[in-house]
Amino acid sequence: MGFWIRPYSTQRAIVRASNNLTSGIVGLANVGKSTFFQAITKSTLGNPANYPFATIDPEEAKVLVPSEHLDHLQKLYGSRKKIPATLTVYDIAGLTRNASRGEGLGNKFLGDIRLVDGIYSVVRGFRDDSITHIEGSVDPIRDLSVVQDELVLKDLEWLEAGREKLTRKLGRTAKSSLDHKQMQDELALLAQLEEFLYEGRRIAHFKQNWTKEEVDTLGQYNFLTAKPTLVLLNSSPRDYLLQQNEYLDEVSKWIDQYSPGDEVLIFSAEYETRYNEFASTSDWEGLQRYCSELAGGAAIKAGALPSALPSIILKMRQLLRLISFYTCGPEESRQWTIQQGTRAPQAAGVIHSDLEKTFINASVIKYDDLRDASHPLDESALRRLGKIKRCGKDYVVEDGDVVHFRAAAGKN
């Protein structure tokens, strides 16, 4: 089953340079954020109650990153255990209209969003009279507009404060200095962003090709609308299984106009909760019956029953420009997280700082060269075929690489 509604944008994300980036679940109060949080984290840390502000302090949990590569590598190397990578997810208090003015839990909510790197924007797309809506009715377009307007207004507030501070500093700086020129450039960028924000648009979509200097500048402000965002249309279980929703066309048009480059994904927090219940007992026949009833009797192949959560997790990593490399052996096969563009010594440093400091070289096997291999792995044959390459400090690690680091000290 295909889940993506709109093609992936090539726009560069504005994210900080870190291998430990986080995501936050954002949306109006009482739209299913905590139910989604419980489902994606397979926990009961959230507070899915049928009233606004059930969540006040942000809940935090680490989500396992699904990886078919890791499953295959564990079998290939005969590893005793496998250790997947994780993604930290926060369930943040619900937003209300006028949050930027401090209403509801506005200031706290917006401050909590500022701490995360990527946003899951959850919007309600199902009708259920038993579940209250803070705005009184189900209207995803209105809800998306409210959330975006509040984020934009807060960014304008922070932008103005930053500009005033920068202007005062500029007045104390010699006009002939490099700092003076850099501050003038920063003020010019802020002026352009301010105009863009006044149009109700997100900074993330101001341009596609950001310079390193611009990314560094924006990193100092940590603007809310600069964060990469995935829109999740929370639907009924039936709508999710059939991949249809009465609001989908309107939501897609709204995104095209006001947040071009973002994507929308149909999911169902209710369905994912039930899916986890069936999966916890391996009751795939029960899940198949449940899905067939929801889908009007359509047959769904057991063992291939759909969950949107793997796609949701992997998509956020993609938006944050995170990739994986692997270390494998008889004891464990392990997935490590790095940002795109990371060189071999810095990748080694994710395992242990000593490996980066005393890095010598790395032996790299591309996953594609292992895709059809079987246990026991014949590394000597791979070496004869030139499939194991020795790489130096300038090598940029790629997604899926299986790496063995060599260092003058520390553990391999």
Side-chain angles (χ1 to χ4, degrees):
M1 175 179 291
F3 297 119
W4 299 116
I5 305 304
R6 305 173 75 249
Y8 173 62
S9 170
T10 58
Q11 180 170 349
R12 177 189 293 178
I14 305 168
V15 294
R16 60 191 176 96
S18 172
N19 301 316
N20 298 306
L21 301 179
T22 62
S23 58
I25 302 172
V26 172
L28 291 185
N30 212 28
V31 296
K33 300 190 312 305
S34 291
T35 302
F36 167 53
F37 178 78
Q38 287 193 1
I40 198 171
T41 60
K42 295 180 174 61
S43 69
T44 57
L45 293 174
N47 187 10
N50 185 23
Y51 55 85
F53 311 127
T55 300
I56 297 178
D57 295 319
E59 302 278 7
E60 174 188 0
K62 292 187 180 298
V63 176
L64 297 181
V65 175
S67 173
E68 294 180 355
H69 289 12
L70 183 62
D71 296 338
H72 177 59
L73 291 171
Q74 182 190 23
K75 296 176 182 176
L76 189 60
Y77 282 86
S79 306
R80 188 171 59 85
K81 60 181 178 179
K82 65 178 179 181
I83 303 177
T86 60
L87 174 69
T88 300
V89 179
Y90 290 90
D91 180 21
I92 298 173
L95 178 68
T96 61
R97 191 184 295 272
N98 298 322
S100 58
R101 301 177 186 174
E103 294 189 16
L105 295 174
N107 289 327
K108 176 174 175 52
F109 167 88
L110 295 166
D112 290 339
I113 297 177
R114 205 174 191 186
L115 300 177
V116 303
D117 300 292
I119 294 175
Y120 287 120
S121 181
V122 179
V123 61
R124 180 170 166 180
F126 65 91
R127 300 178 186 273
D128 188 338
D129 293 339
S130 67
I131 301 177
T132 59
H133 192 294
I134 196 169
E135 289 285 330
S137 62
V138 178
D139 185 345
I141 302 304
R142 176 204 59 212
D143 295 355
L144 284 167
S145 298
V146 169
V147 170
Q148 182 144 309
D149 287 348
E150 296 304 322
L151 299 185
V152 164
L153 289 170
K154 203 63 180 179
D155 274 356
L156 282 168
E157 178 185 322
W158 288 333
L159 186 149
E160 180 60 29
R163 180 166 56 190
E164 290 179 0
K165 181 179 179 180
L166 187 61
T167 301
R168 291 194 299 269
K169 186 176 179 181
L170 183 66
R172 301 191 299 269
T173 306
K175 293 184 179 180
S176 59
S177 68
L178 180 61
D179 288 344
H180 192 279
K181 173 65 166 62
Q182 291 174 340
M183 284 187 277
Q184 285 184 318
D185 291 343
E186 185 173 334
L187 283 171
L189 175 61
L190 291 178
Q192 293 176 309
L193 295 180
E194 181 181 45
E195 183 177 348
F196 194 70
L197 287 168
Y198 272 123
E199 296 175 359
R201 299 177 184 274
R202 297 178 56 237
I203 289 173
H205 305 307
F206 175 69
K207 61 190 300 186
Q208 288 192 346
N209 297 313
W210 298 90
T211 66
K212 182 181 183 302
E213 292 73 22
E214 289 170 336
V215 171
D216 291 343
T217 295
L218 293 178
Q220 301 174 35
Y221 293 89
N222 202 6
F223 289 123
L224 303 180
T225 63
K227 300 178 186 296
T229 298
L230 176 63
V231 177
L232 299 177
L233 183 59
N234 189 10
S235 307
S236 68
R238 174 181 170 81
D239 279 359
Y240 164 69
L241 286 171
L242 298 179
Q243 284 295 283
Q244 64 183 26
N245 185 280
E246 60 181 303
Y247 305 107
L248 179 58
D249 287 343
E250 295 177 14
V251 169
S252 297
K253 290 177 182 177
W254 183 91
I255 290 175
D256 285 337
Q257 183 172 0
Y258 295 104
S259 198
D262 283 354
E263 299 175 40
V264 57
L265 175 65
I266 293 178
F267 92 112
S268 170
E270 179 183 345
Y271 170 82
E272 298 298 342
T273 299
R274 293 300 308 277
Y275 181 95
N276 285 343
E277 291 171 356
F278 285 112
S280 66
T281 58
S282 298
D283 184 9
W284 302 115
E285 291 185 0
L287 178 59
Q288 185 177 14
R289 289 193 300 271
Y290 170 71
C291 292
S292 295
E293 291 172 1
L294 287 173
I300 299 177
K301 183 180 178 181
L305 298 167
S307 168
L309 298 183
S311 296
I312 289 173
I313 295 167
L314 293 174
K315 189 61 190 178
M316 180 55 66
R317 278 171 51 94
Q318 183 182 21
L319 292 175
L320 294 174
R321 303 181 69 245
L322 297 174
I323 62 173
S324 297
F325 74 90
Y326 302 86
T327 56
C328 303
E331 282 300 310
E332 67 175 38
S333 288
R334 185 160 184 164
Q335 178 185 15
W336 304 88
T337 298
I338 55 174
Q339 282 193 311
Q340 292 177 18
T342 300
R343 298 185 186 276
Q346 289 68 49
V350 173
I351 300 174
H352 197 286
S353 57
D354 285 349
L355 292 178
E356 179 177 357
K357 295 174 184 175
T358 61
F359 176 88
I360 297 175
N361 58 41
S363 295
V364 179
I365 308 175
K366 295 298 180 185
Y367 180 80
D368 284 347
D369 293 326
L370 297 173
R371 190 182 302 275
D372 298 325
S374 57
H375 178 72
L377 178 64
D378 187 352
E379 288 197 356
S380 60
L382 290 173
R383 191 168 284 106
R384 287 195 301 272
L385 293 171
K387 301 299 185 181
I388 302 179
K389 300 184 183 298
R390 183 167 294 182
C391 303
K393 63 181 180 179
D394 291 331
Y395 175 72
V396 176
V397 178
E398 297 181 351
D399 192 34
D401 281 355
V402 178
V403 188
H404 179 84
F405 295 104
R406 292 181 179 84
K411 299 178 179 179
N412 285 334

